[in-house]
Structures are given as structure tokens and as C-alpha cells.
Amino acid sequence: MAFWSELGDRVVGAPSILAADFANLAEDVRLAGEGGAELVHFDAMDNHYVPNLSIGPVVAASLTEAIGLPVDAHLMVDNPDNLIQPFIEAGVVSISVQPEAVTHLHRTLTMIRDGGCEAGVALNPTTPPEFIEWALPYLDYVLVMSVNPGFGGQSFIPEMADKVRRLKQMTDLPVQVDGGITVETAPLMVAAGAQVLVAGSAVYKGDPVTEMRRIIEAGRAAR
Ligand code: DX5
Ligand code: ZN
């Protein structure tokens, strides 16, 4: 199963389930899907790379069984290599790593692809796009963090729209944006070239069907 290579030039929405109700995870994902979401953004945190702890491959395995949408894992962990095989076995479609947390990025990306998943990197707000220049042939997508990784509900960092623009000058790879994405900020990122809009608190603060739909429509209108 592939998501990123089949995206074309479409703009899509992805709920970040970090903001969902974990006691009703499958239902919360279903609601975002009803609002038009086409991908699920799954945040793994380890309380080392980031000062927060979330969910891992066991939950991912249950989720991929329970829902009809592809799941994209965003690994905010030290030593992500140890978790790649378990996430592949959990049935996720793609895995992104934070290159700052990886010692041998080429090896890590190759491991993801060899396992049949699509590979991404997530760039922190002060990590320059040029950092991944030599990794581009081994990538299927780039994730631009528009907040510091670790928590939902943080404020959007506006300079990140310029980073998306710079990336799109460097590569045709699809860009995903994550952090502080709302009906107000989604258009800025789409105008800069982003295609996958990850939103957590903005989706789950209210009715997920309505909020997911509003974000996707706001993004698409900015084209
Ligand atoms: C932050 C995570 C995000 C987070 C986004 O470290 O990577 O996916 O859940 O949350 P919001 O949309 O609330 O900024
Ligand atoms: Zn994320």
C-alpha cells in the first residue's frame, strides 16, 4: 500500500490522534474520515527525544486493524531504528523520523523502504531544509514541523511557510505540515506548497467531522 507516491498534486487532511480520546480512538478517527481525512497521523514520543510520552507499535497495530484509513507514523524518539520493524509489522503505510535523532540517516530510510513502507523526515523548526539534501533520493515525503515536537496545542511558527517554499524549490517531494495547523494557518502552508495538513487540537477541540472538513476546505481554497 502506498500513500505518498499516489498523492499527485492533491491537498489532504490528516488528524493527529494525539489530541483524540484514546478510549475511543477508532471512533475519533472514523469521525475525521467522515470530515474528509485521508491519512491518520500517529505521533510516537519516548520522553527522551521529546519531554512527552505517547503511544507505540502496539496501539498502531490495533488501529490499522480497526480503521479503513492509512496510518502514517511520526517517530519523535531516540534510536528510531529499534522501532521501525515493529511499526512496519503494525501495518503503517509510512514512517517519518527526526533526522536530528538518527546517527545514520541513509541506513534508517533504507530500512523503512526495505520493509515496504514509504519514508519521511520531520524537520524541526530550526533545522534547515539543506540538512536533508543528500537524503532526498531516499525519501518519499518531508514533514515540516511548524511547532517544536512534543506537544499538541502549541502556537504555529509563521517562518515555517518560508521553509516549505524553500523545500519546494529543492524537491518535488510532497510536504506535510504539522503543528498549529488551523483554518487560519492551513492556507498559508498550502500557498507555500504543502499538501498534507496534519491537525490535532484544531480537529478534536470541537466536532471532528466539521473541523476536519473546514481545515481541508481552507487549505484547498488557498491553491
Ligand atoms: C507535535 C506533534 C503533532 C501534534 C500536533 O509534536 O508532532 O502531530 O499532535 O498538534 P496540534 O495540531 O494541536 O498542534
Ligand atoms: Zn506529529
Side-chain angles (χ1 to χ4, degrees):
M1 186 162 57
F3 174 82
W4 300 92
S5 63
E6 290 170 9
L7 185 60
D9 62 359
R10 292 176 328 108
V11 170
V12 307
S16 168
I17 56 171
L18 192 63
D21 175 1
F22 283 118
N24 291 292
L25 195 48
E27 173 60 9
D28 265 5
V29 168
R30 194 193 63 74
L31 291 171
E34 207 179 309
E38 294 176 53
L39 181 72
V40 175
H41 185 82
F42 187 105
D43 288 301
M45 302 177 178
D46 67 348
N47 186 37
H48 288 272
Y49 180 67
V50 294
N52 197 1
L53 186 66
S54 65
I55 42 179
V58 175
V59 177
S62 299
L63 197 61
T64 57
E65 285 276 310
I67 65 172
L69 290 176
V71 175
D72 166 47
H74 174 196
L75 306 190
M76 288 161 281
V77 301
D78 280 342
N79 303 318
D81 290 7
N82 298 340
L83 288 174
I84 286 168
Q85 196 55 36
F87 269 107
I88 289 169
E89 285 167 18
V92 304
V93 72
S94 55
I95 300 174
S96 65
V97 295
Q98 300 274 156
E100 308 88 350
V102 171
T103 310
H104 305 291
L105 185 58
H106 173 273
R107 179 179 294 152
T108 302
L109 298 175
T110 304
M111 210 187 292
I112 294 170
R113 281 183 159 183
D114 285 351
C117 283
E118 294 179 290
V121 290
L123 299 177
N124 278 342
T126 60
T127 302
E130 292 73 17
F131 189 74
I132 56 164
E133 192 177 351
W134 288 80
L136 292 175
Y138 305 96
L139 286 169
D140 299 294
Y141 62 107
V142 180
L143 167 50
V144 171
M145 290 302 300
S146 34
V147 298
N148 291 296
F151 300 95
Q154 303 180 83
S155 299
F156 178 77
I157 301 172
E159 294 79 15
M160 295 305 109
D162 291 333
K163 188 188 282 190
V164 173
R165 248 178 224 105
R166 173 90 65 88
L167 267 166
K168 293 307 290 183
Q169 288 165 357
M170 287 171 56
T171 176
D172 288 335
L173 289 172
V175 172
Q176 178 182 38
V177 289
D178 181 13
I181 300 300
T182 64
V183 283
E184 285 80 32
T185 59
L188 306 175
M189 291 307 230
V190 172
Q195 285 182 256
V196 176
L197 302 166
V198 174
S201 46
V203 169
Y204 290 106
K205 71 177 182 200
D207 169 36
V209 181
T210 310
E211 299 306 328
M212 188 78 257
R213 186 170 289 135
R214 286 178 69 222
I215 291 165
I216 295 167
E217 283 173 0
R220 288 181 180 163
R223 269 287 177 78

